[in-house]
Amino acid sequence: MQRCQWIASKPDFYIRYHDEIWGKPEHDDLLLFKWLVLETFHVGLSWQLILSKEKAFEQAFDQFDYQKIANYQQDKVETLLNNEKIIRHRGKIEATITNALAFIKIQKDFGSFDKYIWHFTNRQVVLRPESQKLPKTVSKLSDAVTCSLKEYGFKFVGSVTIYSYLQAIGVINDHDADCAFRLK
Ligand SMILES: [Zn+2]
C-alpha cells in the first residue's frame, strides 16, 4: 500500500497513527483536546517520542477529561512531575491545566470546541495542492488559529505547533499526493 514517504521508516505505532488518525477529520471534543495537549508536549521534542507515550499520557491525565484537568491542584502537578512514563516538564504540565480552562471557555462561547476549530475553514478540509507544496510550518490559517488560541489564554501554542495540530485533526490534509490515505 502506498503511504506518505516520511512514514516509511517509522515504527508500527507511528504507521498506525498515520493510517488511522493523521489527517482524518476529527469532531469529538475529547479527542480534539487530547491531540492539542499532545501537540503542546511535542514542542521541542519528536512526535515519535510523544506518540510512544500516548497511553501513558492518557492514564496520567484522566483520559484527557478536560473538566477534571481544569481542577488539578498543585499536588497533582507534583504527582505528574514524578511520573517517569510521561514528559516531566513543569511548564507543559501546568500549561495543560491552563489550556483545559481555556478549552472550556471556548466550548461555552461556541457550543463546542469542534464548532470553534472548524469555523476557521467553514468546516471544510484544506487539501494540500498536489502540484505545489504549501510551506510546512507557516500558513495563514495556523497563524490565525494560533492568534485566537492565545487570546483565549492557551500556552505552548506557536504557529508550528498549531499547524501540526491542524494536520493531526484533519483540518489540513497533508498526505502525499500518491498516499492511499489522502482525502480524495
Ligand atoms: Zn499519508
Side-chain angles (χ1 to χ4, degrees):
M1 182 181 289
Q2 193 72 28
R3 291 186 168 93
C4 290
Q5 226 165 15
W6 57 266
I7 198 74
S9 57
K10 301 285 196 251
D12 284 351
F13 68 86
Y14 207 146
I15 294 173
R16 214 163 37 244
Y17 170 77
H18 164 274
D19 292 2
E20 296 172 9
I21 309 283
W22 195 72
K24 196 176 270 186
E26 182 57 69
H27 294 289
D28 181 316
D29 270 22
L30 194 70
L31 293 172
L32 289 169
F33 182 70
K34 168 184 165 171
W35 294 115
L36 184 56
V37 170
L38 291 178
E39 289 289 353
T40 63
F41 276 91
H42 179 193
V43 175
L45 300 167
S46 81
W47 185 240
Q48 186 169 318
L49 175 69
I50 299 302
L51 210 52
S52 72
K53 296 175 180 291
E54 180 187 352
K55 294 295 161 213
F57 269 106
E58 273 184 355
Q59 283 180 357
F61 283 93
D62 288 295
Q63 316 298 321
F64 294 103
D65 181 335
Y66 41 83
Q67 301 285 356
K68 280 187 185 167
I69 294 171
N71 288 305
Y72 280 1
Q73 304 299 318
Q74 205 51 46
D75 58 337
K76 177 69 178 186
V77 173
E78 298 307 322
T79 302
L80 290 165
L81 276 170
N82 285 316
N83 186 340
E84 291 175 5
K85 292 179 186 159
I86 62 166
I87 305 297
R88 298 186 292 171
H89 184 296
R90 183 182 290 278
K92 290 178 181 177
I93 289 170
E94 290 180 346
T96 304
I97 303 171
T98 306
N99 292 348
L101 288 162
F103 188 90
I104 292 165
K105 174 91 168 63
I106 285 178
Q107 284 183 317
K108 282 182 183 147
D109 285 358
F110 284 80
S112 68
F113 192 84
D114 168 52
K115 281 187 184 151
Y116 164 77
I117 200 70
W118 283 91
H119 95 274
F120 290 95
T121 60
N122 285 322
R123 302 194 73 75
Q124 300 298 306
V125 171
V126 176
L127 197 56
R128 189 179 71 188
E130 291 188 30
S131 51
Q132 68 196 88
K133 289 199 167 184
L134 290 178
K136 289 297 253 181
T137 53
V138 183
S139 79
K140 279 183 182 167
L141 174 61
S142 63
D143 287 348
V145 176
T146 301
C147 189
S148 172
L149 289 171
K150 282 185 174 166
E151 278 173 15
Y152 270 98
F154 279 85
K155 305 279 187 233
F156 285 93
V157 288
S159 194
V160 175
T161 298
I162 293 306
Y163 191 92
S164 180
Y165 175 61
L166 294 173
Q167 289 176 311
I169 63 169
V171 173
I172 298 172
N173 189 288
D174 240 328
H175 285 285
D176 288 353
D178 54 0
C179 174
F181 296 90
R182 181 179 167 90
L183 213 72
K184 295 291 179 255

